[in-house]
Every structure is written in structure tokens, then in C-alpha cells.
Amino acid sequence: QQPVQSPQAVILREGEDAVINCSSSKALYSVHWYRQKHGEAPVFLMILLKGGEQKGHEKISASFNEKKQQSSLYLTASQLSYSGTYFCGSGGVNTGFQKLVFGTGTRLLVSP
Amino acid sequence: GAGVSQSPRYKVAKRGQDVALRCDPISGHVSLFWYQQALGQGPEFLTYFQNEAQLDKSGLPSDRFFAERPEGSVSTLKIQRTQQEDSAVYLCASSSQGLNTEAFFGQGTRLTVV
């Protein structure tokens, strides 16, 4: 079952904040976040492995609530370079490898 | 190489034609994955290799799809008797060994079946 992301799309002005949510109907053991710009390869942002874990890189951070089977990506003081489509990917615990089931995607547009 | 390289970048095939898509993973990466991405959708898992062994091919949509990685490095995804519904971007990704490690994606091959 594919994780559902919300919102489907968001438009921000540079400097504004955004939150992207990822919800799964199946248990989440790990959550991987990627950003993909049009016509380009998905680029890794971060992996969250434990329930309740939070990670961050510069002004992008994420949380993982294992019990609620949800993860959220937080973009603070957005930059033009943040524009793209964000995908969460759910990883299995016993697959032994990175068989990710990607979410529905969230399109983010940051304007000047 | 510096990153995952895929070729060709674009491929137009007539319905019924066979195609072969190539992936050069990052040198030394044990794991290699193929994903299919339809327009406006997220990537969907097709198959996984660990070195030369194909450990999971559960995502291949039909027996017209075949993937190999004979020497544990370069991989080829072959689609026989292409159909219009095969039109998509085919992404290859590689990662070092280990669960929950970062995957590096190639730019993909955009296949259009006419």
C-alpha cells in the first residue's frame, strides 16, 4: 500500500515554512525522504529509523512517529532551491534491502 | 564513476519492439535497484540485485520484463514486445551494502512507446 502524502501541492514565498506529511496504512519501520526536480533524479534527503526520531539538515528536518505510522518533513525559511517534488519512501524491516514504497508525492514551488 | 549513469536518456519504441536500458551504478555499490516512474507519480519498485544475484523481482509487471546484472556491476533492463502502458521513466539506483542506506538514483531513461 502506497503511503499518502499531504498536501499534494504547496506554493510558498521564499522564506516561508512548510510541512509535508506522509501517512501509511501499514507499519512504518523506516522512512526515507527524497526530493526530485523536474527531469532529474530523486535526491536523498534523510532516513529516519526509529520511532520518534527527528533528524535535520540545515533548514530541513523530519520527524517519525512509528505508532501513528506517520512522518513529517519540515522546511524552514524556504529557499528557491527547495522547489521540486518531495517523496517519502517506506522501508521494510525484514526485507534486508532498500525495497522502498514511495508515497504519492508533494509538489513544492518556492517563488521569489 | 561519480554517479549512477543510465543510457539512453530517451528512447522511443514502436509497439511490439524490444528495448534494452542500461545502468552503470556507482563503483563498488553492491545493491542495485530498478524503479518505474509514471508521469506525476512516485517511483515504483521493479527489481533488486545484490551483486549479480537478483533477490527480488516481485515488482516486474509482466514476463515481458527481464533484468540482469551478470558481473555484479552494470545492469540491463529489457522489455520485450513493448506496449503503450510501458511508457514511463525507468530509474536505476545503487547503494552500498546494508539496510537503510542512502540510495543514489540515476537520471532515468524516458521510454515512450508509440
Side-chain angles (χ1 to χ4, degrees), chain A residues 2 30 32 34 36 38-42 44 47 49 87 91-93 95-104 107, chain B residues 9 33 35 37 40-45 48 50 55-56 58 91 95 98-107 110:
Chain A
Q2 185 180 34
S30 65
H32 307 233
Y34 284 81
Q36 185 178 29
H38 184 68
E40 298 182 10
F44 172 81
I47 295 173
L49 299 177
F87 293 102
V93 66
T95 58
F97 65 93
Q98 219 69 282
K99 184 176 180 176
L100 295 177
V101 180
F102 282 94
T104 49
R107 285 189 172 186
Chain B
R9 283 294 312 277
F33 315 84
Y35 285 85
Q37 186 172 28
Q41 304 295 314
E44 290 193 15
F45 173 82
Y48 163 73
Q50 185 173 71
L55 299 186
D56 189 320
S58 61
L91 294 166
S95 70
L99 186 62
N100 293 314
T101 56
E102 175 183 353
F104 295 83
F105 281 82
Q107 289 191 293
R110 181 177 295 278

Side-chain angles (χ1 to χ4, degrees), chain A:
Chain A
Q1 193 86 16
Q2 185 180 34
V4 176
Q5 292 182 230
S6 62
Q8 287 186 319
V10 59
I11 300 174
L12 298 176
R13 288 198 179 272
E14 200 172 4
E16 292 182 334
D17 303 340
V19 180
I20 298 172
N21 300 301
C22 173
S23 295
S24 174
S25 58
K26 285 188 170 183
L28 283 174
Y29 300 102
S30 65
V31 180
H32 307 233
W33 284 97
Y34 284 81
R35 175 174 61 213
Q36 185 178 29
K37 293 182 182 284
H38 184 68
E40 298 182 10
V43 173
F44 172 81
L45 294 176
M46 63 188 77
I47 295 173
L48 298 105
L49 299 177
K50 299 176 185 177
E53 182 179 26
Q54 293 197 354
K55 295 185 77 170
H57 176 66
E58 295 181 349
K59 294 178 179 176
I60 299 177
S61 62
S63 63
F64 177 22
N65 189 322
E66 183 179 286
K67 290 181 181 177
K68 291 185 178 179
Q69 296 170 191
Q70 289 178 345
S71 177
S72 295
L73 188 72
Y74 306 94
L75 300 118
T76 306
S78 58
Q79 304 170 18
L80 297 177
S81 61
Y82 287 3
S83 293
T85 301
Y86 289 78
F87 293 102
C88 65
S90 66
V93 66
N94 289 325
T95 58
F97 65 93
Q98 219 69 282
K99 184 176 180 176
L100 295 177
V101 180
F102 282 94
T104 49
T106 297
R107 285 189 172 186
L108 175 71
L109 175 64
V110 181
S111 61

Side-chain angles (χ1 to χ4, degrees), chain B residues 13-24:
Chain B
K14 289 188 178 179
R15 192 165 50 181
Q17 203 174 5
D18 296 349
V19 298
L21 313 180
R22 178 188 167 105
C23 173
D24 273 278

